[in-house]
């Protein structure tokens, strides 16, 4: 099968060469000098054959009449809008769906949960106030331990709900950061679609330059024209950094309680719960720190690999072309094979 394909390619090329040679002879007869006979050069990224040179290289080359940069960026202010405008409906749908879920979670569900916690804490707060007044006004010493125990029980419930509210608010902050990062990615991605539709290139880029620029996160990806990947890097860094900070905030919050409980009741059940929460949030914080380190290393490796393979789709890696000229000795077929 491969041999037949090669033979067919060779015959087609020879026919094209003969036709071009005949045309060149006619032009020479019309008064052009023999020295002006053209030699078809192997230009990087170009074959001279329109059907090859206009082949789509990657997914960015979706035919579209929407080529305005200004409109692309304006529509990208909406979740997935830039992708819809440039014809990438599936990608735009994913972005719209994920952003929609995050918007609901951050601005509606988390608000509902906060109000719910306030409602649950209100009766216990009132009970603490009632028990406090009874302790302050009661003259019977025998009933004081009972009121004190009830007050401590209600106060513990208020404290538990307060802890729950703090955890929800910190999670809400982290989710909001991921939402912002996702929208930033969608804007970078929309610009990348526009850029690659207008500035498609299969030229080999410098891997050294990509690595040096990659020291600044995202710059190596932008050097390679991979703006969508740069957006992913920034989304990951923003989300991971904020999540790390919120986890550290919760560590500090519980550590203060732990130090207080260590003096009052070091062996109590509540003290053990606090120690468990400190350990949990420290683990989360460390995971996000490792995550940010891996994201940075990935961005460097990705920039280097993309630069190394930037001319992977170059049609001149394997080309079979005619060569016409005074030094060719007639009609020749040139085979260029470069990997």
């Amino acid at each position: 099968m491969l041999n037949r394909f090669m033979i067919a390619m060779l015959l087609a090329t020879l026919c094209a060469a003969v036709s071009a040679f005949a045309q060149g002879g006619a032009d020479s007869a019309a008064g052009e000098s023999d020295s002006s006979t053209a030699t078809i050069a192997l230009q990087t990224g170009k074959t001279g054959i329109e059907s090859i040179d206009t082949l789509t290289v990657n997914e960015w080359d979706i035919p579209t009449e929407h080529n305005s940069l200004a409109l692309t960026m304006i529509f990208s202010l909406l979740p997935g809008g830039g992708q819809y405008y440039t014809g990438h409906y599936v990608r735009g749908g994913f972005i719209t769906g994920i952003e929609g879920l995050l918007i609901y979670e951050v601005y509606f569900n988390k608000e509902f949960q906060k109000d719910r916690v306030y409602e649950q804490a209100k009766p216990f707060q009132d009970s603490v106030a009632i028990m406090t007044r009874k302790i302050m006004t009661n003259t019977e010493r025998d009933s004081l331990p009972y009121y004190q125990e009830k007050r401590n029980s209600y106060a513990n419930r208020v404290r538990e709900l307060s802890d729950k509210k703090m955890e929800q608010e910190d999670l809400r902050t982290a989710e909001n950061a991921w939402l912002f990062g996702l929208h930033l990615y969608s804007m970078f991605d929309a610009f990348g679609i526009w850029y690659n539709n207008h500035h498609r290139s299969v030229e080999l880029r410098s891997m050294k330059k990509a690595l040096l620029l990659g020291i600044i996160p995202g710059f190596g990806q932008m050097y390679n024209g991979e703006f969508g990947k740069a957006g992913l890097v920034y989304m990951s860094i923003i989300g991971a950094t904020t999540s790390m900070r919120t986890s550290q905030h919760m560590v500090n919050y519980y550590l203060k309680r732990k130090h207080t409980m260590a003096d009052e009741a070091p062996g109590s059940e509540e003290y053990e719960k606090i120690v468990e929460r400190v350990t949990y949030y420290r683990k989360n914080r460390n995971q996000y720190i490792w995550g940010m380190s891996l994201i940075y290393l990935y961005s460097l490796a990705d920039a280097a690999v993309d630069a190394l393979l930037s001319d992977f789709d170059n049609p001149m890696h394997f080309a079979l072309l005619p060569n016409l000229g005074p030094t060719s000795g007639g009609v020749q077929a040139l085979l260029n094979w470069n990997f």
Side-chain angles (χ1 to χ4, degrees):
M1 181 65 70
L2 182 60
N3 291 335
R4 293 181 181 178
F5 173 76
M6 294 294 297
I7 293 173
M9 285 288 294
L10 180 61
L11 290 176
T13 304
L14 290 176
C15 290
V18 171
S19 177
F21 183 77
Q23 182 64 34
D27 291 341
S28 177
E32 293 185 359
S33 63
D34 293 337
S35 61
S36 65
T37 304
T39 299
I40 297 180
L42 297 179
Q43 301 176 9
T44 304
K46 297 292 182 181
T47 65
I49 303 174
E50 183 178 0
S51 59
I52 295 179
D53 292 337
T54 57
L55 286 174
T56 58
V57 173
N58 50 43
E59 61 178 325
W60 306 108
D61 300 314
I62 294 179
T64 176
E65 297 178 357
H66 301 156
N67 296 316
S68 170
L69 175 60
L71 288 177
T72 298
M73 300 315 297
I74 290 173
F75 277 107
S76 69
L77 295 175
L78 301 173
Q83 286 72 20
Y84 294 135
Y85 173 74
T86 53
H88 291 70
Y89 302 108
V90 175
R91 187 181 303 177
F94 275 111
I95 293 174
T96 302
I98 297 173
E99 282 200 49
L101 290 174
L102 283 174
I103 289 172
Y104 168 76
E105 174 65 22
V106 172
Y107 296 105
F108 295 96
N109 189 41
K110 281 295 187 288
E111 191 69 24
F112 170 78
Q113 291 178 2
K114 183 177 71 172
D115 294 340
R116 179 63 177 165
V117 170
Y118 280 134
E119 291 177 2
Q120 292 174 343
K122 187 65 169 61
F124 297 111
Q125 291 173 335
D126 294 340
S127 299
V128 169
I130 292 172
M131 292 298 107
T132 302
R133 284 196 299 268
K134 287 186 176 183
I135 293 172
M136 297 297 293
T137 59
N138 194 282
T139 57
E140 298 180 6
R141 293 182 178 273
D142 294 339
S143 60
L144 286 179
Y146 170 78
Y147 290 135
Q148 187 68 40
E149 182 181 356
K150 295 294 289 184
R151 181 188 180 279
N152 291 340
S153 176
Y154 293 136
N156 287 336
R157 289 305 305 272
V158 172
R159 191 177 295 113
E160 289 176 2
L161 291 171
S162 178
D163 294 344
K164 183 178 180 180
K165 183 181 74 68
M166 286 292 296
E167 292 180 0
Q168 289 177 349
E169 286 301 308
D170 273 54
L171 180 58
R172 179 179 184 174
T173 301
E175 289 175 342
N176 197 39
W178 283 102
L179 173 60
F180 174 78
L182 176 61
H183 193 73
L184 184 64
Y185 155 72
S186 71
M187 296 183 70
F188 267 84
D189 185 59
F191 177 78
I193 292 172
W194 176 87
Y195 179 86
N196 283 281
N197 274 331
H198 288 78
H199 305 284
R200 184 183 74 175
S201 173
V202 290
E203 297 292 334
L204 181 63
R205 296 182 176 87
S206 169
M207 186 172 67
K208 180 179 179 181
K209 188 173 182 179
L211 279 172
L212 290 175
L213 288 173
I215 294 175
I216 304 175
F219 276 49
Q221 283 70 30
M222 288 188 281
Y223 167 71
N224 291 322
E226 298 288 349
F227 291 91
K229 288 185 178 181
L232 284 175
V233 171
Y234 291 134
M235 178 189 73
S236 302
I237 290 176
I238 292 171
T241 302
T242 306
S243 298
M244 183 270 293
R245 291 182 61 186
T246 56
S247 296
Q248 181 60 44
H249 179 259
M250 292 307 302
V251 169
N252 296 337
Y253 173 78
Y254 282 115
L255 276 178
K256 292 179 181 179
R257 295 264 303 282
K258 177 185 176 183
H259 295 155
T260 303
M261 291 295 297
D263 297 332
E264 297 177 356
S268 64
E269 182 179 353
E270 182 180 356
Y271 178 81
E272 295 299 327
K273 289 181 179 179
I274 293 173
V275 172
E276 181 183 350
R277 299 312 290 170
V278 170
T279 303
Y280 172 78
Y281 280 106
R282 275 179 173 167
K283 182 179 179 181
N284 280 0
R285 178 202 61 191
N286 295 341
Q287 286 176 341
Y288 283 116
I289 292 174
W290 280 107
M292 287 188 294
S293 302
L294 292 175
I295 290 168
Y296 183 72
L297 293 176
Y298 159 78
S299 68
L300 286 174
D302 178 74
V305 171
D306 276 350
L308 181 65
L309 300 178
S310 55
D311 68 336
F312 181 80
D313 292 311
N314 194 324
M316 292 311 297
H317 279 307
F318 182 80
L320 185 63
L321 298 174
N323 180 32
L324 307 176
T327 60
S328 64
V331 180
Q332 292 182 350
L334 294 181
L335 175 64
N336 185 61
W337 194 351
N338 176 27
F339 282 97

